[in-house]
Amino acid sequence: MNKYSVAELKEASVEQLKTICENLRSDIYQTVSACGGHLSSNLGAVELTVALHRVFHFPNDKIIFDVGHQCYTHKLLTGRADKFHTLRKEGGLSGFPKREESVYDCYDTGHAGTALSAALGIGKARDLKKEDFNVIALIGDGSFQNGLIYEALNSLKILNTNILIILNDNGMSISPTVGGAHEVLQELKGEQKPLEDIALFERFGLKYMGIVNGNDFEELLPALEEAKERLKSETVLLHVVTKKGQGYPFSENAPMQTHSVGPKVKNKEYSSALGEELSLLAEKNEKIVAVTAAMTDSLGLRTFFERYPTRSFDVGICEEHASVLCAALATQGLKPYYAIYSTFLQRAFDEIIHDICGQDLPVTFCVDRGGATGADGETHQGVFDLSYLSFIPNLTIAVPKNISEFREMLRLSANYMHPLAIRYPREGTEGDTEPFEIGKFEVLHSTMSDIVIFAAGERCLNLAFSLKEKLSERYGKDVSIVNARFLKPLDQGLLISRREKLVVTLEDNVRVGGLGSAIADFYRNSCKKVLTFGYMDKFLPHGEVASLMEKYGLGQEYILEEIIKHASR
Amino acid sequence: MNKYSVAELKEASVEQLKTICENLRSDIYQTVSACGGHLSSNLGAVELTVALHRVFHFPNDKIIFDVGHQCYTHKLLTGRADKFHTLRKEGGLSGFPKREESVYDCYDTGHAGTALSAALGIGKARDLKKEDFNVIALIGDGSFQNGLIYEALNSLKILNTNILIILNDNGMSISPTVGGAHEVLQELKGEQKPLEDIALFERFGLKYMGIVNGNDFEELLPALEEAKERLKSETVLLHVVTKKGQGYPFSENAPMQTHSVGPKVKNKEYSSALGEELSLLAEKNEKIVAVTAAMTDSLGLRTFFERYPTRSFDVGICEEHASVLCAALATQGLKPYYAIYSTFLQRAFDEIIHDICGQDLPVTFCVDRGGATGADGETHQGVFDLSYLSFIPNLTIAVPKNISEFREMLRLSANYMHPLAIRYPREGTEGDTEPFEIGKFEVLHSTMSDIVIFAAGERCLNLAFSLKEKLSERYGKDVSIVNARFLKPLDQGLLISRREKLVVTLEDNVRVGGLGSAIADFYRNSCKKVLTFGYMDKFLPHGEVASLMEKYGLGQEYILEEIIKHASR
């Protein structure tokens, strides 16, 4: 009982196609309104996706959606309409392409810039296996700023396989697209396309086709047919212009605000605190500059960027370049703040080591969306950062207990002259904090009990306090609770001073390599027993954060049991 | 008593400059012959560097050497000639630019593609601070394949600061340069430069100048003067052609073989075993393909590439793209082997997680130069890999005890359908091995003693055996020794079966996050005492591997002391 049929598409008149698009749009709109998700990017790509399904034959032909913010129509058309109301819900459809979900999804995406490399690999494998199908990479113009795309373009002539690259140009990444590559695309949209702009692409060994209005079947269908024909003998880049938010004026007019529509956050966002504090600090300290990779708004830095335009840099989806830029600015005595989501900071891993920590430079990483992030699933969970940062020399790692402590950490960072990473989740409570020094833990509850819990971050401290309650209710046991707000350096003085025999650690991160490992390592030659809790060795799917914690290693009952088991030994 | 004087350069006639270059060449040649180092790249850049010092005024002006394989002349000219014989020797001059070494080195490099981002950051800081100096990025054509360079090019118009980019085009990275960007550069060297090739650069917001013969002062000096003038109002890219190995015919004719000249390895290289085994496996299994990022020879894959040209891909200095390419090839049932140096694999960290392990694809990473690598220093030590790989879900990590075991691991990998990383040093001994399964340790020496040593890799197993000797000589103690050849999964059965109270771990990796942490974590609720040894939390400078082990955490006497201290408790 699938609402949409590809077979139908193949027969339908353009008028009928338009009706189908209306239905798709309203399904997307209704579902995203209910489940949250990526609205404007998906609304813009409806006609394009329908046209692709009309002209090509999936799953025999393969399509890779770069990032995946445009795959909803594809999901609706490929047997997932009846499940579409479960989008991004636990156990329901993923918001991104997933091979496990459907044979129509041939490659998982989530981070920017992978689609071209992936398409080349699939195309090359096809050639080696002497198979015959078309490979399509659907890539937004935002991703064309990313180095990975360039590396793939550079290898077109090396790999020498024919694929169709569809550049879906809506002039936006999550923020408006910026930089030289963007200006080239803008020019191509002008009255007469400068030949050298076309050449910019064709030098790499492909045929440029465009501009095509991606919201108009009259233009789109013949263009795709032509591209399909050319594809037999060459790689084609089809430059399609679409309107982000197409069909919903409120979204067309506010594509940034409607790029990602989430169930509203219940609490305050750490990102707004970042914008507020950094703006205050920048007033007193003109050395402070802010750098982002195409996510100024989501990171809370819009007002900072408006107040300090000469000291604000959005370099586009270029996480590596942003890191080196920060390192270089710091060599000249400036104080760069690099705000980025935990999962995207993975892209700058080498530069964190090689450029920033290797030169011991005073760059502050504001690592947002740390810990489980929920509905976006595997590719967006921020659960590795404490592990991949903890062993890097010269780096200090801070995890605030609430927003007020986050503000204090930012104030401390202003005079700190080494690399520093402050890691925080999307939302939390303002709370309060006392002044403190870098490397100092905070005892939040102290008793004569034999159990102490070290927890990092607001979520895990809340968990610690609820564990404390349950322990006293059920077992008449009390526990001490410590805010382990610095993973590196550890508060050795405090750790040495603790008398408890049973040490429990809680962190919103994979269990291995973060806070627990550090504290267990510190106590390795003591007679203490250390129980470390964090996420298990699995990729966390999409779902509510609370439920992910419950199911994947930070479940309250499970931890209680473990504590009791070891406490009573 | 410095042999070279920049003041002299400024006055010298072209003839005199040529004489100075001859002296520089012979100093470089003699030192590299004695100390090892990068020969052909440095020989090629002598005139260019001399000309830069003639025209610009360092250290007020700033120059960033991309990668740093061209900085020897710069070191000789900037007060380091008398120390030059200590090049790459412990405590001596670094083979790369180092801010700590000289005010003339403004930015540390070692990995490819960072110079343009760094120059932009330094230029932007200059503008913000209203200072006045020139910023120069000297970049080889090999680095122009790298995504980081493109990300920086893309932000020229965003950052809007004027710098001089010198493209030192010798047609080589470590391997010959490949890909679309390279072909553009080739065309620019042709009779008539296609306008669109020039445009390819200028679209990004710079002025293209070239071609200039970088080994000829008559062309070089006026070009640099002109560039310096233009620099006042725009960013300039000066395309300079140099001859890798210039001045030494044997090096000109074998630039690859003389790119890096090392003291010959005493033992056999793991890389040759990789080439041999992979070629054999590929005969029986046509699904096997090999991927490298511009280092086919150093990785031992030349013969494989020659025997299986259609199944071999050198994509240039594009570590990220190479990873995604492998992931995509694997989705189509192929069996990719991605050979790369440990330190460069850091560049693909996000793709390892997001593309390969996230999709649980059967890609095998052949991680060469694992552990301390010695003379190249901080930026090239492979001492983080066990830590940054150990917490990634779905990834298996193997560390062979010798070359024969490495071969067996490769044979096992052929039928293993999940992500696998095999990590090994440059050189070792062939030795022998019994067949084994994935995840199984090997007991090499078993006694009734109360001490067991788990060691990963040849170096640490050798250390284990020499500790064993010393322990019996000096203290009449015996120890058991286990070859911990899989960091993930651990051999739980064997770990459970061990009766020893004192457990010692040895790994050629930072102490935190690798084998020791994993074994300590496994035993966390036992009554065992676990002593973990690895490198301390510092960036390891250049020096002999043995000496680095001795000084930075793997010193035999230090470990002996620790063992005795804890054994006798």
Side-chain angles (χ1 to χ4, degrees), chain A residues 187 203 320 332 511 521, chain B residues 187 203 320 511 521:
Chain A
E187 287 181 351
R203 307 319 290 164
E320 294 186 272
Q332 303 305 300
R511 195 184 63 78
D521 185 58
Chain B
E187 287 182 348
R203 306 319 290 164
E320 294 185 90
R511 195 184 63 80
D521 185 59

Side-chain angles (χ1 to χ4, degrees), chain B residues 108-123:
Chain B
D108 295 2
T109 52
H111 292 190
T114 64
L116 186 48
S117 301
L120 287 171
I122 291 173

Side-chain angles (χ1 to χ4, degrees), chain B residues 85-100:
Chain B
H85 63 282
T86 68
L87 186 72
R88 294 159 49 89
K89 293 214 182 91
E90 199 161 338
L93 293 181
S94 164
F96 293 90
K98 281 267 170 293
R99 294 162 71 226
E100 287 180 354

